């Protein structure tokens, strides 16, 4: 199923971002290594956002709220029921946040199991883990409510394009200037 492919793709890029973010904070490597991490972060973040948008496109199309032919364009044609309220957060963005939450839960659980730290650290980590588990439950409830309200015609959401200009050499003013200098 396409939807699950894009959800798993989103999680893959969130996992990749998590690893690169850790690497980018090293203090005993060269600046050039950190620059490589930062470029990877930009690449993974763009792919993560693209996957989130794709999740929204698929859901909106399956829910009949967006014309399928226009779903992947910069201006999808909406078919929103009259009187439905606009939800500011999309289903895809909630799913993205749940993916990040899963990574946080995994990492915090590991902290509760460490044997190279004292009990105070493990106890503090357990408090944080409990809070993260509650937050995941809250997010799941919000997603369930949004989907139920959307199916019932009470709510809708839109694809919010990120238009990440810093990654696009056609829009980033610094990259445009570099290209002009190289040509000129």
């Amino acid at each position: 199923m396409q939807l699950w492919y894009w959800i798993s793709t989103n999680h893959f890029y969130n996992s990749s971002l998590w690893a690169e973010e850790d690497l980018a904070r090293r203090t005993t490597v060269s600046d050039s290594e950190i620059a490589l991490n930062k470029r990877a972060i930009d690449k993974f973040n763009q792919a993560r956002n693209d996957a989130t948008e794709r999740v929204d496109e698929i859901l909106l199309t399956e829910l009949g709220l967006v014309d399928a032919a226009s779903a992947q364009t910069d201006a999808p044609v909406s078919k929103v029921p009259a009187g439905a309220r606009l939800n500011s957060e999309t289903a895809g963005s909630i799913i993205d946040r749940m993916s990040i939450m899963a990574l946080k839960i995994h990492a915090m659980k590991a902290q509760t199991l460490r044997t190279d730290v004292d009990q105070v650290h493990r106890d503090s980590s357990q408090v944080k883990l409990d809070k993260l588990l509650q937050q995941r439950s809250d997010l799941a409830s919000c997603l369930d409510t949004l989907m139920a309200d959307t199916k019932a015609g009470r709510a809708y959401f839109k694809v919010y394009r990120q238009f990440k200009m810093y990654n696009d050499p056609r829009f980033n003013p610094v990259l445009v200037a570099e290209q002009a200098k190289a040509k000129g």
Side-chain angles (χ1 to χ4, degrees):
M1 176 184 230
Q2 256 198 340
L3 179 61
W4 288 112
Y5 170 80
W6 287 105
I7 290 172
S8 66
T9 297
N10 170 266
H11 189 67
F12 170 80
Y13 286 117
N14 277 327
S15 298
S16 300
L17 266 167
W18 187 278
E20 287 296 329
E21 290 283 2
D22 282 348
L23 291 171
R25 281 152 181 81
R26 294 173 295 169
T27 59
T28 59
V29 299
S30 69
D31 290 347
S32 62
E33 286 185 66
I34 301 303
L36 290 173
N37 296 130
K38 293 304 231 175
R39 287 192 179 108
I41 288 167
D42 280 352
K43 182 181 98 175
F44 293 143
N45 193 44
Q46 182 69 55
R48 164 191 163 242
N49 281 295
D50 291 346
T52 300
E53 289 176 7
R54 191 69 185 117
V55 167
D56 283 330
E57 293 164 2
I58 292 166
L59 286 171
L60 287 167
T61 300
E62 288 180 2
L63 290 164
L65 294 174
V66 168
D67 172 67
S70 69
Q72 292 185 33
T73 70
D74 289 343
V77 177
S78 180
K79 301 180 192 179
V80 176
R85 69 172 167 75
L86 173 61
N87 203 70
S88 64
E89 187 170 30
T90 73
S93 64
I94 296 172
I95 291 166
D96 177 61
R97 289 177 62 201
M98 290 179 75
S99 167
I100 296 165
M101 189 63 64
L103 295 168
K104 289 179 180 182
I105 288 168
H106 176 78
M108 194 59 68
K109 176 76 173 169
Q111 292 298 312
T112 69
L113 302 173
R114 285 180 60 186
T115 57
D116 64 325
V117 295
D118 62 18
Q119 190 60 41
V120 171
H121 178 91
R122 287 189 296 275
D123 290 345
S124 172
S125 297
Q126 185 62 53
V127 169
K128 290 174 177 70
L129 176 60
D130 292 342
K131 182 56 73 177
L132 290 169
L133 290 167
Q134 179 61 52
Q135 290 172 356
R136 178 179 63 187
S137 178
D138 293 347
L139 283 172
S141 178
C142 289
L143 180 61
D144 288 345
T145 300
L146 175 59
M147 294 307 294
D149 286 352
T150 300
K151 287 178 185 175
R154 293 185 299 268
Y156 71 101
F157 56 95
K158 299 177 180 179
V159 176
Y160 285 110
R161 303 283 182 219
Q162 297 303 309
F163 299 121
K164 299 251 181 219
M165 295 169 64
Y166 61 82
N167 285 333
D168 192 328
R170 299 170 302 158
F171 293 104
N172 179 318
V174 174
L175 297 179
V176 168
E178 280 184 355
Q179 288 174 353
K181 186 176 180 180
K183 288 180 185 176

